[in-house]
Amino acid sequence: MENGKWRNEKSKIMKIDKDTCEEILVTITRNKTRSLLTAFGVFWGIFMLVALMGGGQGMEQELRKEFEGFATNSGFLFAQKTGEAYKGFRKGRSWDLEMADVERIGKLSQIEISTPSVAQWGKTAIYEGNKYDCSVKGLYPDYEQIEHQEMAYGRFINDVDIREARKVCVIGKRVYESLFPKGGDPCGKYVQVDSIYYRVVGMCSSEGNVNIQGQASEAVTLPYTTMQKMYNLGNTVQLVCFTMKPGVKVADVEDLVKQTVKAAHYISPDDQQAVMMLNVEAMFSMMDALMTGVHILIWMVGLGTLFAGAIGVSNIMMVTVRERTTEIGIRRAIGARPRDILQQILSESMVLTTVAGMAGISLAVLVLQVLEAAANPQGVVETHYQVSFGMAVGTCVLLIALGVLAGLAPAYRAMAIKPIEAIRDE
């Protein structure tokens, strides 16, 4: 007997659920134009939010590719003409950094790595009739900790190359593509630069666009000591490259580094142009601040548009409740509880908001997929423009919440309708 009663109650519930769905559908489609225009506000809001989030993520990845492989706590020191006369030396005096300056900076307690860098431009690399206009760099092995060298073939410069001043080189990606158009491992081959042959020991595939004495992809890198001898550079250093110890910022020691070098070269402590520094850490901080601002703007625009759409849904539901005053009153008269009226209005609001929102999410994902395919080389995804699964789920939850909020005011107004007032209104 009890089982039979339970089955009857279950059938009743299922029937009510079916009737409720049909009623929601009839109510929404009763005025198709109004429903479509209302849904479009939510659709456009969620489309803008998801599309902007995906686009912002892709833009951030593109910006970070510009600094690919660079240590975020690095700095670069270089010499300029003096801006003040000092100790008998005239203003505008030319001077050069030296290997001793690398050691001076390296001895500072805040510095982790200090290494020199020199370069020559306007050179031509030749291999079996193939040519490429490139730059030639002279580096130490520890430079790899400042600008990471992603090796596709072979290795980077090592300590033995430095100690023995070997005639070996590491070629960049674009140099490799021009000199070895058929591909293959270039290691062991001899490349000619300025009538001197260097044995290739590695090919660097890094493509970062930060130009520190030429891009790595367009350079032929030699051991520093080899570069000194081949180009008769002596102890001259064009750049002193350094990184900070953990917890220390470049800006914190900028003045100390400059004053250390100025004191060794008889440069006025107040001279602001003789010793120049490129603070890569500051550039990273600016980029982070920029992206934070972009993300805040994206959320403001997206959520603002979305809330505007939700307000539109709430207004239309208010109109719908007004139009259905008699219907709601009759329901109350024949025994409908306030909770039933509340559930009905909220259900209609949630369905309208969710369907429109899901359509907006779907279109945004499609647009981002097309953008991702257009922005990346065929078959290789380097920059992702899609939103994460967690973000998509969070957006869906937000849609449902907005649907509930949009229906609250109309639902409470519907609950307040009394049967006698509905009959009088009729």
Side-chain angles (χ1 to χ4, degrees), residues 328-347:
I328 294 172
I330 293 173
R331 284 190 179 193
R332 294 293 305 277
I334 62 177
R337 296 168 297 179
R339 185 178 65 182
D340 298 327
I341 303 299
L342 177 67
Q343 179 181 354
Q344 179 66 29
I345 300 302
L346 287 179
S347 298

Side-chain angles (χ1 to χ4, degrees), residues 111-124:
I111 303 297
E112 184 173 19
I113 297 170
S114 178
T115 185
S117 173
V118 291
Q120 297 281 337
W121 291 267
K123 305 300 180 182
T124 302

Side-chain angles (χ1 to χ4, degrees), residues 77 95 97 101 105 256-265 275:
L77 197 74
W95 66 284
L97 290 167
D101 295 314
I105 294 174
L256 177 60
V257 170
K258 288 183 178 180
Q259 292 303 327
T260 300
V261 174
K262 287 177 182 179
H265 292 271
V275 182

Side-chain angles (χ1 to χ4, degrees), residues 406-425:
L408 279 177
Y412 279 110
R413 179 171 179 176
M415 286 171 57
I417 295 176
K418 296 185 171 80
I420 189 65
E421 292 178 356
I423 294 172
R424 187 181 298 117
D425 184 72

